[in-house]
Amino acid sequence: MASDIRASELKDPVDVAEYLFRRLHEVGIRAVHGVPGDYNLVALDYIDKTGLNWVGNCNELNAGYAADGYARVKGISAIVTTFGVGELSAINAIAGAYSEYVPIVHIVGTPSTISQRDGMLLHHTLGNGNFEVFANMFREISCVTAKLNDPHEAAMLIDNAIRECWVQSRPVYIALPTDVVQKKIEGERLKTPIDLSFPINDAEKEDYVVDVVLKYLQAAKNPIILVDACAIRHRVLDEVHELIEKSNLPTFVAPMGKGAVNESLPSYGGVYAGDGSDSSVRERVEAADLILSIGAIKSDFNTAGFTYRVSQLSTIDFHSEYVRVRYSEYPHVRMQGVLKKVIAKMGKLNVESGPLPNNEIAKEDQDMSEDNQITHAWLWPRVGQWLQQNDIVITETGTANFGIWEARFPKGVTALSQVLWGSIGYSVGACQGAALAAKETGDTRRTILFVGDGSFELTAQEVSTMIRHGLRPIIFLICNGGYTIERMIHGMTASYNDIQEWHYKDLVSVFGADPKHSKTFQVKTKQELHDLFNDKEFSAAPYLQFVELYMPKEDVPKALKLTAEASAKLNAKG
């Protein structure tokens, strides 16, 4: 049972829920995603009071995806669910955030401490008196689990959870019992901001690692830089860009690192994913005698089926918790400090130029005669031509994830995808969260989604949430008759990879959009899409726009075909 703190002991009494939401506001969160349930209702009353906005999603899974997208744009996010049924609906999304290092504060309204102590037979339980089972599930996919059962500990647990969420860039789980929501705790702590600084490396160890890195870097004849997702997640992009611009080394990104680097820089060389890469990219990366690998996640889809052909003997890995130079690992040496000193000390390096990717469409794919179908070989370079500075581009697991590799971005583009976790339907919820985060900043950034018809059918309801909040995404719905990435792995003509086709664009009206503040399109040829891209009103993104984009069922990006073949072989291994 939660025990009270005497009012006389408190300099500035504040309710636990108010303390929690004020701390969320402090770290930059302005919108809270989630779904109401009876165990979180009283807590939700504090959202407006603390300057936050309630989003209100169509279900908890979508809310989790939306919180993920919001965090990737804003830096951190929050979701509120109810005990049992609500939190388990969100668990897939939270697992994806854990997998891909996305910081989400997950607040779960739980039964009262008295009910839990007495093992009462309550709704939303397993009927066995076990109130720990769901928290234990989340313990495996959260970097901190905080149970606010005791008001004496609540403020400390909240502050620690939010700090670790930020520093480790992973979800945290905060359980808030119904009888603790309004308990008084010390609000004086709110005058001292949570310390979000990263741990500082041991100076002697850091200097030693810097010297080792410089030894190999300065001796290298044709080094390159390879940037991946954890450079984004662990907030070292300032250091990365300083390294790129001062060294002038050819720079490449892994698929999960797409958007990490300013692709308008002259030293940008393209996307490296082993055999899934453009031949000029693959040859340059694999010929390098030293690779500065920053924030790598060497998963199957991120390496086109583990087809990297680079030796660890020619690699220096920079990570959030260690640096590895060839086969020597230096634990507890964070990359931020090392990169800063390497940049300051590296001097002039040997630079051998790399490829210069562009958005030119291959000659054989340029035919735009009447009835010429849209192909991936034509689409993605054309998308690259159409994109604008600072766009937010979300691509779904499947053809869009792999196709976007072929688009060279303008400066400042933020790319969202879920290459490692790969939960289909993710991108629709993520689009809502990303568009909301962009709206909060007050700028004019466009939010653009590319999603397949099969994936869209899993989470289509979030278009309703976008409409509700006046968001203005441009949604490209790739209509190609089902689960294309699965077809490429196995079952090209199997019925289990088929879907019921919907009148997709009509959903905008079904979900209640004002026809004066939304617009839908259907394009089936290259010329139609070319004309749409050239439409200034469309490209200005004045309101929500939904485009049915038809493509041949068996047409896929080259990189997807190669990766799917590798995945099929791996699945078949005994």
Side-chain angles (χ1 to χ4, degrees), residues 516-533:
K516 295 179 182 177
H517 299 290
S518 61
K519 201 165 185 179
T520 63
F521 306 85
Q522 186 179 84
V523 294
K524 294 188 175 182
T525 68
K526 292 177 182 176
Q527 187 64 54
E528 289 175 343
L529 185 55
H530 176 78
D531 291 344
L532 188 61
F533 282 150

Side-chain angles (χ1 to χ4, degrees), residues 159-228:
D159 290 357
N160 178 67
I162 293 174
R163 169 178 161 73
E164 292 305 313
C165 183
W166 179 271
V167 171
Q168 295 191 44
S169 194
R170 273 183 156 158
V172 295
Y173 179 97
I174 298 178
L176 179 58
T178 55
D179 60 333
V180 176
V181 170
Q182 297 177 305
K183 296 291 186 185
K184 300 294 184 184
I185 60 174
E186 182 56 75
E188 189 77 8
R189 288 178 64 114
L190 291 168
K191 295 179 181 178
T192 304
I194 298 172
D195 179 11
L196 299 179
S197 61
F198 293 104
I200 298 173
N201 293 331
D202 175 84
E204 187 175 35
K205 185 183 287 188
E206 180 179 270
D207 287 341
Y208 176 79
V209 173
V210 169
D211 288 343
V212 174
V213 170
L214 289 172
K215 170 188 170 184
Y216 290 104
L217 178 58
Q218 291 167 343
K221 299 290 189 254
N222 60 344
I224 61 114
I225 299 169
L226 179 59
V227 184
D228 207 344

Side-chain angles (χ1 to χ4, degrees), residues 138-347:
F138 277 93
R139 199 180 301 278
E140 299 299 319
I141 53 171
S142 307
C143 65
V144 168
T145 300
K147 296 181 179 180
L148 309 184
N149 294 338
D150 184 351
H152 291 83
E153 300 177 341
M156 179 270 293
L157 291 174
I158 290 167
D159 290 357
N160 178 67
I162 293 174
R163 169 178 161 73
E164 292 305 313
C165 183
W166 179 271
V167 171
Q168 295 191 44
S169 194
R170 273 183 156 158
V172 295
Y173 179 97
I174 298 178
L176 179 58
T178 55
D179 60 333
V180 176
V181 170
Q182 297 177 305
K183 296 291 186 185
K184 300 294 184 184
I185 60 174
E186 182 56 75
E188 189 77 8
R189 288 178 64 114
L190 291 168
K191 295 179 181 178
T192 304
I194 298 172
D195 179 11
L196 299 179
S197 61
F198 293 104
I200 298 173
N201 293 331
D202 175 84
E204 187 175 35
K205 185 183 287 188
E206 180 179 270
D207 287 341
Y208 176 79
V209 173
V210 169
D211 288 343
V212 174
V213 170
L214 289 172
K215 170 188 170 184
Y216 290 104
L217 178 58
Q218 291 167 343
K221 299 290 189 254
N222 60 344
I224 61 114
I225 299 169
L226 179 59
V227 184
D228 207 344
C230 281
I232 305 170
R233 306 291 188 269
H234 295 292
R235 311 173 204 276
V236 295
L237 293 188
D238 288 344
E239 290 84 357
V240 166
H241 279 95
E242 188 176 2
L243 174 64
I244 294 168
E245 292 177 28
K246 287 192 174 179
S247 70
N248 291 315
L249 293 177
T251 300
F252 304 84
V253 296
M256 287 181 70
K258 184 73 173 164
V261 167
N262 175 5
E263 297 185 13
S264 69
L265 290 172
S267 57
Y268 175 73
V271 177
Y272 177 68
D275 288 351
S277 317
D278 179 83
S279 59
S280 62
V281 171
R282 187 176 68 249
E283 290 166 7
R284 179 64 185 88
V285 171
E286 294 173 2
D289 63 349
L290 183 67
I291 298 172
L292 301 181
S293 174
I294 305 174
I297 299 178
K298 297 176 184 178
S299 67
D300 51 356
F301 281 12
N302 205 32
T303 61
F306 302 113
T307 57
Y308 267 26
R309 288 184 174 82
V310 294
S311 170
Q312 187 60 44
L313 282 173
S314 58
T315 303
I316 300 177
D317 289 303
F318 298 89
H319 284 281
S320 60
E321 293 295 337
Y322 67 90
V323 173
R324 182 188 294 121
V325 181
R326 306 177 83 183
Y327 283 103
S328 298
E329 186 169 310
Y330 302 93
H332 311 301
V333 179
R334 300 177 64 89
M335 58 183 162
Q336 282 97 337
V338 174
L339 286 171
K340 287 177 181 177
K341 289 184 178 178
V342 166
I343 293 164
K345 297 181 178 181
M346 65 186 176

Side-chain angles (χ1 to χ4, degrees), residues 47-113:
I47 289 179
D48 289 343
K49 299 175 184 176
T50 52
L52 300 173
N53 298 304
W54 174 247
V55 177
N57 298 89
C58 297
N59 60 57
E60 291 89 353
L61 176 60
N62 290 359
Y65 291 153
D68 183 303
Y70 183 99
R72 294 190 194 215
V73 174
K74 204 78 186 289
I76 190 169
S77 68
I79 175 176
V80 178
T81 63
T82 198
F83 180 76
V85 294
E87 58 185 314
L88 292 191
S89 181
I91 198 168
N92 175 26
I94 299 300
Y98 185 86
S99 170
E100 301 220 349
Y101 291 91
V102 180
I104 299 175
V105 179
H106 182 198
I107 301 160
V108 180
T110 69
S112 70
T113 56

